[in-house]
Amino acid sequence: MSRGFYSSLPRRGHVDEQLKPAFDTGRGLAFARCLIHIIPVGVSVGVMMLSFTGYYYADAGTQHQNIQLGALQFAAKVHETLIVASLSTVVLHQIQTSLLGDAGVPFSLLTTGHQLERVFRRELWTGLFGSGGRRRPLLAALVMVAVVLATTSGPASAIAMIPKLNWWEVSNARFLGNHRHFLATNPEKMWPDNLTEGYMPKLDCLTSEGHTDATCPSGGYPTFSARYDLLPEPIILNVTNITFVNEGTGHTARSVACEPIGDLEEEAYRASSFSQLAVDILWECWGLVRGEWDASPRAPSARVSIVLPKGMSLKKPQVEVQCKQYNYTDGATLELPHSRLVTPPLDKHQQDAWKFDPAKLWNISAERTKGFSWVDVSSYAPGPSIGVAYFLPQAKATDRVGDQVIACTVDARWVPIEMWLEPTNDISPHQSASFVNLTIKQASPTPLPQVISIPLGWAYSLNNPIFGATFTTMEGLIRPSEGSVKLYAYMLSLIIADGLARVNSDTRPFNQDDPRGFAGPASLFGAGWDSTSTIKQQVASGNWTEIRILNKRYGFGYSLGGPLIKVAIVILFLHAAIAIAHTITVLITGWTSGRWTKVEELITLAINSPPTENMNGTCAGVSGAETWKKVVSIRERIVWEEDGGAVGEGHLDMVIKDEGEVRDEESGKGTFRYRKAVESKMYGKMPPDRIK
C-alpha cells in the first residue's frame, strides 16, 4: 500500500544547485537584508514611548480585559522572536565578515549566530574569554551582548508591553480647568509645635459642652467612654483602631490607631490618627472633581490626594505615652517615667529626672477621691510634651497605706504622612503607614519632627467637667480597683492623639475663580473669610498656602516607575541601538552575504571541504578546549596543474587552522592553494580531485 502510494507521487528530475556568490556589495540588497530590524525596533520604540509618556491603557474591569492582556502576552513573545532574529542577523553578518576576511572565527563561535539563546554552552564562553575572543574584541563583545539580549528580551518585552495595574494620575485640566487652589492657612498654623488656647475653636471647649462638640479636643470622649465602660481591660487592650465618623459631614471616617511600644508587658503605648483638617481638605477636594467622575460612562475607582509646596507635607499627630505606678506617701516627690521614650532629642536625656510633687496637684490630705491632673513640664528643655498624674486612693479613708499615683509622660509629634481618599470605594482615608518610626535615622535631610509643647491652657480642654457629675472626662476613665498601668497608658495615648487630630478642624480650603492672575476674587469653602481679599497679598503674607489636587484612577497603564521597567527599557534600547548601527554600517559599506545563514549550510560546506589534521580525533565529538580555540575561515580552493595552469576554481572550503597560522597559502604544483573569496564571483564548482 505504501509503495503504491509513494510511487503514485509525481517525481521531479534531479536539478543541480545553482552557483552563488559568497558576498555582494550592493546597497539595495544590503538594505533589503536589514528590513528584519524594522518591526522589532519599531515595536520597541513604541512600547518605550508608552512608558516615557505615562500612557493610560484602560480602567480596571473593562470589557474583554483578560483577553486583551493575554493577547499582549502573545505579542510580547512574537516580539521576542523578532528581536532574536534581528540579533542573529547582526551576529551572522559579523561572523560572515570574519570568515571571509583576515581574522577568521574561533571554532567555538562558528554557530553562535544560529543559537543565541543557548547560554549554557561551555564552548561559547571558551570562545568569548579565550585567546580567540581576546584577539577579536569586537566580535567577542558583540556576541556577548547579543547573547545576553537574546536571553532577556522575552521578559523585557513582556514587562514593557503589558500595562501594569496601579493608580494613575489624571490631568487636572479635565476636572478643574485652570483654577489654582489654596489653603486659608499655612503649615505652621495647621500643625503648630506650640499649642496655645488660641488653637481651640471656641472657649466652650473648656466647659461641660466641650466633649459634645466635634471640633473641640475632647470631642471624642463619648466614643472612648462608651467603649471603655462596656468592655473589660483585656478586650480593650486588643482593640487597635477606634473609628470616628466625621460629625460635620457624616460621610468621612477617621480612625485612631494604637499599639504597645516594645514588649507587650511594657507600660508604654503609641497612638496616631489622621488630622481631621487633612481629612476635611481631601474631602473638599473630592467635592470639586466628583461631578466629572460621576459623569463618566463607567465611573472608575478614584483616588484623591493633595501636594503641598516643596518642603511641606501633610501631617498627623503621633503620641507616645509611658506610665508608672508609685506607692504614695506624704511629701514624696515622684518622677515621670521615660525609659521607653527614645525619639530624639529625648534619647539623649534618659538620665534626666523629670520630677513633680503630687501634693501640689491635689489636696491629698482632705480629698479621698480619685483624681486626675496635668503636670507642667515646660521647665524641662528639652523635655516631653506634658505630664499626667492619676491619684488612686486607698478604699479606707482612715488608712493612708496603699494610696497609688500613676505618673505618665507624653511625647507628641506632628509626623509627615502620605494620605489619600478613595471615595468611590469607602469613606475612610488611607495612609502609607499607621506609625512612623522616628528612632530610625532618616535618609532625607529633613529634620525630625519637634516635640509638641502642650501648655496647661490647651490641655484643660481635654479634661472637661461633665454636666451633672462630680468628675471630669479624664477622671471618668479611672478604674481604681481594676485598671492596670497599661490601660492608663493605652487610653491616654488614644485621647491625646484624637485631641491633637482635631486641631484646626474648622479650617477650609478655597480656589481661585479667576485663572488669569493672582488678583482675582476667591470662592471660599467655609465661612469667616473675606472673599474680596487679594490672593497675592494673602500668599505673600504667608496666610495662604497653594496646593495641587492630585487625581488618580485605578487601571492599567505604563510608566517608568520601578527598577524592572528601567532594566527592560535598557534591554530594548540596546537592541534597537545595535540594529540601527548595523543597518547604518551595512548601508555605508554595502557589504552583505546571504550565505551560511543556516546551520545546515555550514554542515554542507564542511562535508565538501577536505579533512585536516587539526581536527584529528573529533569524529566522535569534541571534548578538548584547544579544539574549540581553532580558527575557522572560508577560502576559495584552487588546484594547480604541472604546466602552471589553474583549474578547479570556483569552490569554497572551510579551512581550520591554529591561531596565528597562515590561511592564504600556496602549495606546490599538482596540489592546491587557498585565497580569499572574490566579490560577486559565482561559487559551487566541485574541484576535479573531489569528484568521485
Side-chain angles (χ1 to χ4, degrees), residues 551-587:
N551 294 286
K552 293 184 177 182
R553 62 196 304 173
Y554 191 63
F556 292 88
Y558 300 87
S559 75
L560 292 174
L564 289 180
I565 184 62
K566 294 181 176 65
V567 173
I569 286 180
V570 168
I571 292 171
L572 298 181
F573 175 80
L574 283 177
H575 161 253
I578 290 173
I580 293 172
H582 171 253
T583 302
I584 294 174
T585 302
V586 169
L587 291 179

Side-chain angles (χ1 to χ4, degrees), residues 384-398:
S385 299
I386 198 169
V388 172
Y390 294 92
F391 176 57
L392 282 65
Q394 166 55 262
K396 296 180 180 180
T398 58

Side-chain angles (χ1 to χ4, degrees), residues 484-504:
S484 71
V485 179
K486 288 195 295 183
L487 182 61
Y488 290 110
Y490 170 86
M491 291 301 300
L492 189 60
S493 65
L494 286 173
I495 292 172
I496 295 179
D498 179 65
L500 291 173
R502 299 171 188 269
V503 172
N504 282 327

Side-chain angles (χ1 to χ4, degrees), residues 15-24 33 593-596 601 604 650-652 677-685:
V15 179
D16 289 336
E17 283 278 346
Q18 300 298 312
L19 303 183
K20 309 168 187 69
F23 65 94
D24 296 293
R33 287 174 177 162
S593 175
R595 309 298 157 230
W596 313 294
E601 291 180 333
T604 302
H651 182 73
L652 297 175
V678 181
E679 176 186 348
S680 300
K681 183 175 180 178
M682 307 303 286
Y683 291 100
K685 292 181 180 179

Side-chain angles (χ1 to χ4, degrees), residues 34-255:
C34 290
L35 293 178
I36 194 172
H37 300 315
I38 291 181
I39 295 179
V41 171
V43 172
S44 294
V45 172
V47 297
M48 285 191 290
M49 290 304 299
L50 291 176
S51 295
F52 281 121
T53 58
Y55 179 76
Y56 185 77
Y57 179 74
D59 293 329
T62 55
Q63 190 175 16
H64 306 307
Q65 194 160 82
N66 289 335
I67 297 177
Q68 296 173 22
L69 296 176
L72 288 175
Q73 183 74 52
F74 276 105
K77 181 60 181 178
V78 173
H79 186 216
E80 175 197 6
T81 303
L82 293 174
I83 288 176
V84 174
S86 172
L87 291 169
S88 295
T89 299
V90 177
V91 174
L92 280 172
H93 178 269
Q94 187 62 36
I95 289 177
Q96 290 164 343
T97 304
S98 300
L99 284 172
L100 294 170
D102 294 324
V105 176
F107 182 48
S108 59
L109 302 181
L110 182 60
T111 60
T112 300
H114 307 87
Q115 45 185 348
L116 287 177
E117 294 176 285
R118 290 189 59 193
V119 180
F120 302 105
R121 294 186 294 125
R122 187 188 67 173
E123 61 272 19
L124 170 65
W125 302 107
T126 299
L128 290 177
F129 296 104
S131 58
R134 291 194 296 270
R135 294 190 179 211
R136 299 162 187 81
L138 178 60
L139 175 62
L142 176 62
V143 170
M144 184 180 300
V145 173
V147 167
V148 173
L149 294 182
T151 305
T152 58
S153 60
S157 178
I159 290 171
M161 187 177 296
I162 300 175
K164 308 302 180 293
L165 185 62
N166 208 335
W167 290 96
W168 304 93
E169 185 174 353
V170 181
S171 172
N172 276 345
R174 170 184 171 186
F175 300 99
L176 304 169
N178 294 320
H179 291 300
R180 302 174 67 183
H181 301 84
F182 300 82
L183 296 179
T185 183
N186 59 54
E188 288 76 17
K189 294 180 180 178
M190 285 189 281
W191 301 290
D193 288 334
N194 185 21
L195 285 175
T196 62
E197 294 181 15
Y199 287 101
M200 289 187 296
K202 58 192 73 172
L203 290 178
D204 287 347
C205 292
L206 296 172
T207 69
S208 58
E209 298 180 3
H211 64 274
T212 62
D213 189 332
T215 63
C216 290
S218 60
Y221 173 77
T223 301
F224 290 122
S225 178
R227 184 179 300 270
Y228 188 80
D229 291 340
L230 294 175
L231 300 176
E233 178 177 333
I235 296 179
I236 292 176
L237 293 178
N238 285 324
V239 176
T240 57
N241 282 279
I242 298 178
T243 301
F244 298 88
V245 175
N246 188 333
E247 295 86 346
T249 62
H251 47 50
T252 305
R254 174 180 60 83
S255 62

